[in-house]
Amino acid sequence: MSLVSYLANVLRLGMSPEASFSQWAWQLLLRLKLHSNSQNLKGAWAVKAGIPIGCYLSIAMTPVGHSLEHFCTDGIGLLKSLIQSHHLRAAVHLLDNILPPTYHLSFCLLNNSQFVSCIQMFLQYDSVSP
C-alpha cells in the first residue's frame, strides 16, 4: 500500500495512524496462527509458495528450526528460499539460533550437500551485496 493510499484510508476511516496500525497489527497477528497447536507446516501457503517471511517464521517457530532432523529434511529448502530472496540478515539470525546447539553434530550438516550449497549461495550473495 502506498503512503498516499494509506493516508487516504486513515482519513476516510477517521482513525489516527496509531489506531490504524494497531488494527492492522491485530488483524495480522490473528491470521498468523502462532500457537503450536494451530501450526501446520505442510499446509502453510506462505511456506509452500516460498514467501520469505513464511519461510522465516516456519524455521523460527516450528520444530523445523528446533530439531536438526527437521531442519535437514524441511528447513534447508526454506533457508534456501530466504537466501535466494536476498534476506541474508534473516538467514544469519536463523543460523545463529540453529547452529550452536548442533555443533556436536556439525558433520551432519557438513555432509549435507543441500546445506553446503545454501552456505555457498549465501557467501556468493553476501560478497556482491552493497
Side-chain angles (χ1 to χ4, degrees), residues 16 36 41 47-49 53 57 60 75 86-89 91 95 104-105 123 128:
S16 70
S36 62
L41 178 61
V47 174
K48 284 185 176 180
I53 198 163
L57 288 172
H86 297 273
H87 290 281
L88 303 182
R89 186 174 178 193
L95 290 171
H104 65 286
L105 298 171
L123 293 172
V128 295

Side-chain angles (χ1 to χ4, degrees), residues 42-110:
K42 300 297 183 198
W45 63 269
V47 174
K48 284 185 176 180
I51 295 173
I53 198 163
C55 295
Y56 175 84
L57 288 172
S58 180
I59 296 171
M61 299 181 66
T62 70
V64 172
H66 296 82
S67 155
L68 186 59
E69 179 184 350
H70 288 193
F71 180 72
C72 286
T73 57
D74 298 321
I76 293 173
L78 301 175
L79 181 65
K80 182 179 180 180
S81 293
L82 272 177
I83 293 169
Q84 287 175 327
S85 301
H86 297 273
H87 290 281
L88 303 182
R89 186 174 178 193
V92 167
H93 179 77
L94 291 171
L95 290 171
D96 184 46
N97 289 316
I98 294 167
L99 294 179
T102 63
Y103 282 148
H104 65 286
L105 298 171
S106 60
F107 62 89
C108 292
L109 290 174
L110 294 175

Side-chain angles (χ1 to χ4, degrees), residues 12-25:
R12 182 176 54 82
L13 295 174
M15 299 172 79
S16 70
E18 293 84 8
S20 177
F21 174 79
S22 180
Q23 180 182 17
W24 170 83

